[in-house]
């Protein structure tokens, strides 16, 4: 198991929320760390989708003209929609 390097930082949080978290024994650092990791993953996903939007559009356009190359052997629900 790899332990990530930690860096001390300062955050401004809602005082009532912070007090409630302490009363409920919520590890604020762990929650902030998890939320930050999720925000980073979401932002990277959105960036990747944006950077590749032209390729996705081109592929969709190609499929709409030609159908899916494996449409004849596809058995999944909706497979018929891939045929040209």
């Amino acid at each position: 198991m790899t332990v990530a390097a930690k860096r001390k930082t300062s955050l401004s949080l809602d005082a009532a929320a912070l007090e409630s978290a302490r009363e409920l024994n919520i590890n604020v650092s762990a929650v902030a760390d998890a939320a930050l990791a999720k925000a980073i993953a979401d932002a990277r996903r959105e960036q990747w989708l944006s950077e590749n939007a032209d390729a996705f559009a081109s592929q969709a356009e190609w499929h709409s003209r030609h159908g899916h190359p494996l449409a004849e052997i596809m058995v999944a629900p909706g497979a018929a929609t891939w045929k040209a």
Side-chain angles (χ1 to χ4, degrees), residues 61-69 71-72 79-84:
E61 193 273 327
W62 189 93
H63 278 130
S64 71
R65 280 190 286 128
H66 303 287
H68 193 285
E72 296 302 319
T81 62
W82 286 100
K83 295 179 181 172

Side-chain angles (χ1 to χ4, degrees), residues 35-79:
L36 182 58
K38 183 181 183 323
I40 290 167
D42 291 348
R44 284 186 174 150
R45 179 182 184 279
E46 290 303 316
Q47 181 181 19
W48 184 85
L49 289 171
S50 176
E51 289 171 351
N52 292 284
D54 290 342
F56 298 143
S58 178
Q59 181 182 33
E61 193 273 327
W62 189 93
H63 278 130
S64 71
R65 280 190 286 128
H66 303 287
H68 193 285
L70 302 176
E72 296 302 319
I73 63 172
M74 292 174 73
V75 294

Side-chain angles (χ1 to χ4, degrees), residues 5-25:
K6 302 282 184 171
R7 184 181 304 167
K8 192 170 205 139
T9 189
S10 175
L11 298 173
S12 296
L13 302 172
D14 178 78
L18 186 57
E19 185 58 34
S20 293
R22 286 188 177 140
E23 290 171 1
L24 295 167
N25 295 318

